[in-house]
Amino acid sequence: DVKVTQSSRYLVKRTGEKVFLECVQDMDHENMFWYRQDPGLGLRLIYFSYDVKMKEKGDIPEGYSVSREKKERFSLILESASTNQTSMYLCASRPQPSSKNIQYFGAGTRLSVL
Amino acid sequence: AQSVAQPEDQVNVAEGNPLTVKCTYSVSGNPYLFWYVQYPNRGLQFLLKYITGDNLVKGSYGFEAEFNKSQTSFHLKKPSALVSDSALYFCAVRNYGQNFVFGPGTRLSVLP
């Protein structure tokens, strides 16, 4: 089975802190994604990566950055956390060729910024 | 631009009754359509997908969905609901070369 692991289930941070959310997948997938999930808004794509050291902005990249130094790991970085970044964050991965393939999700990290 | 609508925030159904969770989409070209389910404090799990072929797609846990091109819909159905089906359901669409677009989600409550 594909496993996508997010390092933390719950995080509490203070405004202005730098926050790292880590995601690791064990199936050698090329594509990785970060979403945030908010009630009534569904999942919104923050950033994605098609390969090591590659990154592309999604629909809501402002206030976030990402790092993909190794194929299996995709990190989401909040440079200076703000209260409006309180949310559930979901990581996903997907193999190539990607057109018909599904995404596999981690369990999520619920981040609270105080 | 791609978009997905799930017109119902909440669906309530009695255990043993059939259930339907609605999804309509807008996409240029041929759509790839997906349903995911999210149980409390969990990530999303894949249920089923439509790529091409038969309009009726069968998936996990007894769920199925019907692709209707003329109505641009992809409603999720199950003949007999279980209490354990209570969860948040997301419809998603993509076409070739594009990323997923997810709907806002529908919370299904199956009452015993």
Side-chain angles (χ1 to χ4, degrees), chain B residues 64-76:
Chain B
E64 59 189 27
E66 186 166 12
F67 170 62
N68 188 317
K69 189 172 183 178
S70 62
Q71 297 185 5
T72 61
S73 67
F74 189 56
H75 301 330
L76 182 70

Side-chain angles (χ1 to χ4, degrees), chain A residues 9-10 33 35 37 40-43 45 48 50 90 94 98-103 105-107, chain B residues 32 34 36 38 41-44 46 49 51 88 90 94 96-100 102-105:
Chain A
R9 293 299 305 275
Y10 302 94
F33 305 82
Y35 295 88
Q37 180 185 1
L41 296 177
L43 276 69
L45 183 63
F48 59 101
Y50 287 148
L90 294 171
R94 184 177 72 204
S98 64
S99 296
K100 303 175 183 179
N101 286 325
I102 68 173
Q103 290 188 357
F105 284 85
Chain B
Y32 301 148
F34 302 79
Y36 282 83
Q38 185 180 36
N41 299 314
R42 304 286 295 277
L44 275 67
F46 170 73
K49 65 179 178 180
I51 303 299
L88 190 56
F90 290 96
R94 68 188 300 264
Y96 184 81
Q98 301 297 315
N99 284 317
F100 278 74
F102 286 85

